[in-house]
């Protein structure tokens, strides 16, 4: 794409770090700094660099870690056939290169591909044995997913039995929330003052992750289409274009059974021109589709030929996703206001003339920080370009500097809009902050909202609107106050009647037993996102232990660096923080200790952190990882001083060198098997 050139390994590593940084901002903090388009462009540069310099590819590169971790609370299932991702194309020459490559691989001049919709939902795999639905699994990291059978059984379109003599059928598809249901769900949440889902995919993911299938059954609208076959015994289908008819004939949901589609959303294509024409058609009907899509997929129509070409570690070589760009629109920027976050960070917000974009009306968009406003020279009254990638908060991509009668450049106010405290800014940071941590009402409200919100205890029926009312009426100042609320207290608030008061109190009651990890997250310690909270909970086991641990202890935890360690240590030595923690415990909040992983006491791999490199001849990596975990050890990707062993198979990579350099013990396959012992 030629946006940026990466010439040296150091530049490559810097790019990896940059992408991880944006990844974290996007997924963990929901505070992206760059547009989806800009992010995709960085990833494309990275992929191109890795194609040109395979010797640089690092195991910690963002390209090597697609997908999510299995969900907490669900059993882990190893996929018999991995759930790979798709190679992406944004430009015609990338499609042409793909078409030519597959022709070359199969020694053919022309090939038939099947074009279909790229759904923006969650991939699932469903297994039918002798006609009976026996298991449904999320994609997880592609090799190990979560068992969500009970949840998938609540989706009424998914049959529990299919009428077929087929012994084993594993189908792949997508669970999603149609746009109408998404809007209905958000309208309900808004009424209750709960945080809104940013997009249908998050809403569907949030619903599928519900541990209690009865709760899920109450959420209407989640549905599913199947588009692929991963295993079939005996083999019944040889062409991708027959997959839908076949699955449909078995009573499985496919696009054929989906009502309200403006036209048949798939087509057999024979050339790159056909591919382009298909994507044009789909793009033109995209706004009228009853669900979200983010592109189209082209799959080699002959399944037999497709299976004759082995996939790369990430994706099949015979399919490609053509991604639609983010949708954009121009509108007027009415004014720039500022918002105070829970940690005091001040974010400028664009107040826009309402405009329709990707199916919803947009009137606000984030401007991230003052530097960003200046870099893009965005001024009140400008015409601005708004972008909504498949999701999240809309962003201001650019402003029209030729707008007549432009206003003066915008500046951050000098004082906090909520408490009038002069704002401060650290040299190295881009953000201005309100330093009044304990006295700023907005910070308190935001912290309370975080505590009850999706990243905190996720308390049902309590959202930011209610938190604001509780705070403004002097009923709640600290999280622990919530647990002392009575019906009478709640009745003093406008619009709260018997039923809603009962709902709120039962929501609080139900939230009193969070996992330790969830409680740590809810407490809102600086730099602590879900991953860190999990590591802290697993390493410490109890709140008492967290208080005893030193900075060095925290740094000793895999994945926790100095800055995070000292933030956690500071928090657990801060008198106000500890007082609130004690108040929470006294109010009946009892964290559940992390589930003990089985450990074989005295086994050399118990509590060991192990890195695998090269190919083992006796088992796959996934099996090796499972067996190590069964002994109580864990498998990580990077060799560090904290690594206990590096296990080396055939043609090892640079990890072996690194292990030698750091003096980490190295095991060859025979030694590894010996230590593993008879544990399978
Ligand atoms: S085929 C390797 N077909 O895209 C084959 N995937 O990037 C992958 N997706 O995890 C599955 N629509 O969630 C396939 N028509 C479609 C799809 C589709 C959406 C998603 C799926 C997968 C991801 C791969």
């Amino acid at each position: 794409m030629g946006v940026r050139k990466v010439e040296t390994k150091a530049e490559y590593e810097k790019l990896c770090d940059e992408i991880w940084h944006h990844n974290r901002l996007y997924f963990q903090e929901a505070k992206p700094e760059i547009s989806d388009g800009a992010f995709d462009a960085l990833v494309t540069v990275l992929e191109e660099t890795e194609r040109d310099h395979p010797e640089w590819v690092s195991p910690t590169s963002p390209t090597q870690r697609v997908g999510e971790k299995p969900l907490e609370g669900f059993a882990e299932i190893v996929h018999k056939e991995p759930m790979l991702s798709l190679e992406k194309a944004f430009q015609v020459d990338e499609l042409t290169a793909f078409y030519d490559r597959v022709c070359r691989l199969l020694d053919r001049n022309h090939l038939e591909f099947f074009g279909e919709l790229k759904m923006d939902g969650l991939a699932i795999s469903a297994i039918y044995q002798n006609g009976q639905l026996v298991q449904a699994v999320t994609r997880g990291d592609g090799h190990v997913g979560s068992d969500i059978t009970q949840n998938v059984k609540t989706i009424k379109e998914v049959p529990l039995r299919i009428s077929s003599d087929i012994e084993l059928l594993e189908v792949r598809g997508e669970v999603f929330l149609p746009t109408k249901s998404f809007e209905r769900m958000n309208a309900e949440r808004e009424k209750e003052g709960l945080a809104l889902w940013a997009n249908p995919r998050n809403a569907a993911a949030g619903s599928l992750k519900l541990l209690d299938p009865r709760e899920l059954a109450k959420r209407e609208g989640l549905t599913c289409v199947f588009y692929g076959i991963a295993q079939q015994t005996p083999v019944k289908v040889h062409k991708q274009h027959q997959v839908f008819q076949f699955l449909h004939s078995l009573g499985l949901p496919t696009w054929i059974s989906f009502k309200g589609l403006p036209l048949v959303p798939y087509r057999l294509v024979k050339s790159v021109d056909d591919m382009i024409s298909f994507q044009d058609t789909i793009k033109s009907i995209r706004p009228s589709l009853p669900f979200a899509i983010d592109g189209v997929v082209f799959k080699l129509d002959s399944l037999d030929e497709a299976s004759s070409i082995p996939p790369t570690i990430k994706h099949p070589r015979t399919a490609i996703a053509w991604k639609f760009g983010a949708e954009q629109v121009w509108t007027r920027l009415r004014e720039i206001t500022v918002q105070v976050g829970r940690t005091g960070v001040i974010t400028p917000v664009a107040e826009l003339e309402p405009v329709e974009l990707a199916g919803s009306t947009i009137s606000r968009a984030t401007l991230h920080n003052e530097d960003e406003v200046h870099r893009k020279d965005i001024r009140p009254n400008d015409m601005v370009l708004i972008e909504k990638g498949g999701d999240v908060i809309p962003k201001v991509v650019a402003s029209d500097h030729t707008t007549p009668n432009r206003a003066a450049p915008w500046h951050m106010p000098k004082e906090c809009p909520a408490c009038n405290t002069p704002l401060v800014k650290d040299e190295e940071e881009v953000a201005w902050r309100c330093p009044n941590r304990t006295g700023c009402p907005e910070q308190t409200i935001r912290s309370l909202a975080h505590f009850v919100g999706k990243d905190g205890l996720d308390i049902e029926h309590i959202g930011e609107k209610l938190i604001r009312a509780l705070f403004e009426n002097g009923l709640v100042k600290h999280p622990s106050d919530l647990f002392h609320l009575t019906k009478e207290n709640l009745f003093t608030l406008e619009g709260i009647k018997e039923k809603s008061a009962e709902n709120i109190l039962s929501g609080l009651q139900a939230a009193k037993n969070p996992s330790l990890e969830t409680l740590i997250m809810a407490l809102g310690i600086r730099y602590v996102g879900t991953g860190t909270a999990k590591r802290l909970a697993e390493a410490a086991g109890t709140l008492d232990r967290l208080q005893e641990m030193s900075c060095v202890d925290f740094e000793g935890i895999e994945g926790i660096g100095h800055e995070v360690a000292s933030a956690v240590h500071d928090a657990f030595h801060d008198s106000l923080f500890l007082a609130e923690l004690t108040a929470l415990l006294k109010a009946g909040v009892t964290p559940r200790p992390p589930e003990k992983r089985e450990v074989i006491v005295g086994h050399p791999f118990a509590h060991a952190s192990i890195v695998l490199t090269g190919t083992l001849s006796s088992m796959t990596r996934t099996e090796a990882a499972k067996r190590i975990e069964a002994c109580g050890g864990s498998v990580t990707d990077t060799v560090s001083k904290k690594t206990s062993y590096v296990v080396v198979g055939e043609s090892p990579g640079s990890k072996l060198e690194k292990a030698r350099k750091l003096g980490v013990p190295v095991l060859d396959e025979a030694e590894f098997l010996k230590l593993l012992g008879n544990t399978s």
Side-chain angles (χ1 to χ4, degrees):
M1 260 221 240
V3 188
R4 172 169 161 178
K5 272 254 159 297
V6 174
E7 312 270 3
T8 64
K9 184 152 186 230
E11 278 168 11
Y12 164 76
E13 279 163 2
K14 195 161 154 250
L15 180 61
C16 286
D17 287 349
E18 222 174 286
I19 293 174
W20 275 124
H21 167 76
H22 291 302
N23 234 350
R24 204 192 63 236
L25 288 174
Y26 187 92
F27 286 109
Q28 291 183 9
E29 298 175 21
K31 272 193 226 139
E33 275 175 0
I34 59 172
S35 73
D36 290 0
F39 180 80
D40 285 341
L42 287 181
V43 175
T44 306
V45 176
L46 183 73
E47 284 171 352
E48 280 176 1
T49 311
E50 293 189 342
R51 222 173 293 147
D52 294 344
H53 294 279
E55 74 282 7
W56 289 352
V57 179
S58 136
T60 59
S61 158
T63 59
Q64 308 292 304
R65 301 253 201 110
V66 275
E68 294 171 33
K69 296 203 189 76
L71 307 171
E72 195 194 351
F74 292 92
E76 291 183 8
I77 307 285
V78 179
H79 296 296
K80 291 254 167 14
E81 284 292 321
M83 290 181 81
L84 301 173
S85 65
L86 287 162
E87 187 185 342
K88 297 186 191 83
F90 297 89
Q91 295 187 344
V92 178
D93 56 359
E94 292 166 316
L95 262 192
T96 313
F98 163 77
Y99 186 93
D100 292 346
R101 199 169 61 233
V102 186
C103 282
R104 237 186 358 261
L105 284 168
L106 290 167
D107 200 15
R108 301 269 293 277
N109 289 329
H110 300 285
L111 282 169
E112 292 196 341
F113 286 86
F114 191 66
E116 54 184 68
L117 302 180
K118 178 154 181 6
M119 308 294 295
D120 196 7
L122 295 126
I124 62 156
S125 191
I127 301 175
Y128 287 87
Q129 248 165 16
N130 298 319
Q132 188 97 24
L133 173 65
V134 290
Q135 199 164 57
V137 189
T138 62
R139 175 170 169 216
D141 66 4
H143 296 280
V144 183
S146 305
D147 183 347
I148 50 159
T149 314
Q150 294 312 320
N151 283 354
V152 168
K153 282 185 176 173
T154 68
I155 300 176
K156 61 180 188 309
E157 287 79 9
V158 178
L160 304 185
R161 280 202 69 82
I162 50 173
S163 49
S164 166
D165 54 351
I166 190 160
E167 238 169 82
L168 172 73
L169 180 70
E170 178 171 358
V171 284
R172 298 277 164 89
E174 203 90 347
V175 169
F176 62 97
L177 202 60
T179 321
K180 281 252 154 31
S181 312
F182 167 68
E183 282 166 0
R184 219 175 301 130
M185 188 188 276
N186 257 356
E188 281 290 310
R189 291 183 75 88
E190 189 158 25
K191 248 196 264 151
E192 294 197 15
L194 299 174
L196 300 188
W197 294 108
N199 57 64
R201 174 154 38 86
N202 289 7
S207 304
L208 261 195
K209 283 179 195 170
L210 288 172
L211 277 173
D212 183 351
R214 284 168 306 182
E215 275 304 310
L216 178 62
K218 284 193 223 153
R219 295 198 179 175
E220 281 170 33
L222 205 62
T223 185
C224 172
V225 293
F226 290 110
Y227 44 61
I229 299 178
Q231 296 193 75
Q232 41 173 337
T233 324
V235 176
K236 300 259 186 186
V237 184
H238 295 272
K239 301 274 188 193
Q240 179 65 24
H241 78 264
Q242 293 162 344
V243 166
F244 306 103
Q245 268 83 11
F246 176 66
L247 298 182
H248 182 68
S249 75
L250 298 181
L252 287 162
T254 65
W255 291 303
I256 302 177
S257 46
F258 206 95
K259 294 196 183 63
L261 293 181
L263 49 80
V264 179
Y266 40 81
R267 188 190 295 170
L268 211 51
V269 291
K270 300 182 183 194
S271 62
V272 175
D273 284 349
D274 275 4
M275 290 177 167
I276 301 297
S277 127
F278 176 69
Q279 77 82 32
D280 269 343
T281 311
I282 298 300
K283 207 167 174 177
S284 71
I285 60 157
R286 185 183 188 192
S288 51
L289 284 175
F291 43 72
I293 60 167
D294 56 355
V296 292
V297 185
F298 296 106
K299 301 174 180 171
L300 186 64
D301 192 42
S302 161
L303 299 179
D304 301 329
E305 281 181 310
S307 59
S308 72
I309 302 179
T312 71
I313 49 163
K314 285 182 297 171
H315 37 67
R317 283 180 222 263
T318 54
I320 196 159
W322 170 270
K323 293 266 282 189
F324 295 147
E327 293 183 62
Q328 299 185 330
V329 69
W330 287 93
T331 188
R332 188 166 303 278
L333 171 60
R334 282 182 172 161
E335 60 170 331
I336 298 178
T337 56
V338 294
Q339 220 171 43
V340 188
R342 74 182 158 90
T343 57
V345 169
I346 311 286
T347 312
V349 177
E351 306 287 346
L352 307 163
E353 231 152 66
V355 60
E356 280 285 312
L357 179 60
S360 56
T361 308
I362 310 241
S363 53
R364 304 184 91 201
T366 176
L367 288 165
H368 305 301
N369 54 55
E370 190 184 28
D371 284 2
E372 173 96 354
V373 177
H374 291 164
R375 196 166 55 237
K376 293 182 177 158
D377 190 15
I378 298 171
R379 306 184 190 186
N381 207 37
D382 278 357
M383 287 303 287
V384 287
L385 184 63
I386 310 301
E387 175 180 297
K388 209 165 135 201
D391 39 42
V392 240
I393 324 144
K395 284 158 253 187
V396 177
V397 183
S399 87
D400 179 359
H401 299 167
T402 65
T403 310
N405 307 320
R406 292 190 85 198
W410 177 83
H411 288 288
M412 190 59 105
K414 296 271 169 288
E415 291 170 356
C416 170
C419 67
N420 299 329
T421 307
L423 300 180
V424 296
K425 183 173 171 209
D426 285 342
E427 270 301 305
E428 313 95 79
E429 296 204 5
V430 281
W432 286 88
R433 297 174 174 274
C434 165
N436 185 9
R437 286 304 296 268
T438 47
C440 174
E442 203 53 33
Q443 288 187 50
T444 310
I445 291 170
R446 289 299 183 110
S447 303
L448 286 165
H450 166 82
F451 183 83
V452 301
K454 285 190 288 224
D455 288 336
L457 298 198
D458 200 8
I459 305 184
E460 282 228 52
H461 308 289
I462 306 188
E464 182 160 333
K465 205 158 125 203
L466 180 65
I467 287 291
R468 225 165 251 285
L470 288 167
F471 178 82
E472 280 161 8
N473 285 279
L475 291 170
V476 171
K477 248 182 132 166
H478 307 289
S480 54
D481 299 336
L482 286 162
F483 297 97
H484 298 292
L485 286 171
T486 62
K487 264 193 195 173
E488 287 65 38
N489 291 153
L490 292 168
F491 289 154
T492 63
L493 302 181
E494 216 185 289
I496 303 265
K497 303 253 156 49
E498 186 69 29
K499 183 79 194 132
S500 40
E502 265 171 25
N503 280 343
I504 294 166
L505 294 180
S506 68
L508 282 160
Q509 196 56 34
K512 278 188 170 171
N513 205 215
S515 66
L516 178 59
E517 168 188 341
T518 305
L519 183 61
I520 296 172
M521 259 306 277
L523 293 171
I525 303 167
R526 209 167 168 200
Y527 306 127
V528 176
T530 38
T532 307
K534 192 177 173 80
R535 287 186 201 113
L536 288 170
E538 276 178 2
T542 63
L543 281 173
D544 285 346
R545 180 71 195 124
L546 279 166
Q547 279 178 58
E548 291 160 12
M549 285 169 78
S550 68
C551 243
V552 177
D553 290 337
F554 287 126
E555 273 186 65
I557 303 173
E558 181 87 34
I560 294 190
H562 178 69
E563 203 172 15
V564 180
S566 70
V568 176
H569 186 257
D570 286 356
F572 281 95
H573 285 81
D574 177 275
S575 55
L576 287 175
F577 180 91
L578 290 176
E580 175 53 20
L581 199 52
T582 314
L584 278 170
L585 300 182
K586 243 170 119 184
V589 175
T590 324
R592 281 178 280 125
E595 270 165 38
K596 283 227 166 31
R597 276 208 284 123
E598 291 285 319
V599 166
I600 301 184
V601 181
H603 193 283
F605 293 164
H607 305 292
S609 157
I610 296 175
V611 174
L612 303 168
T613 177
T615 319
L616 297 175
S617 57
S618 55
M619 61 183 94
T620 64
R621 285 175 88 80
T622 318
E623 266 173 77
K626 285 265 142 204
R627 292 191 59 185
I628 291 167
E629 277 160 15
C631 306
S634 58
V635 175
T636 56
D637 279 339
T638 352
V639 182
S640 75
K641 279 182 288 189
K642 293 170 198 162
T643 309
S644 323
Y645 299 102
V646 171
V647 176
V648 180
E650 196 67 37
S651 24
S654 59
K655 289 173 189 171
L656 174 59
E657 252 167 70
K658 191 150 178 209
R660 293 221 169 100
K661 225 195 267 159
L662 295 175
V664 173
V666 172
L667 303 175
D668 64 21
E669 185 159 354
E671 291 166 321
F672 170 62
L673 290 174
K674 209 163 133 202
L675 284 186
L676 202 54
N678 206 7
T679 54
S680 64

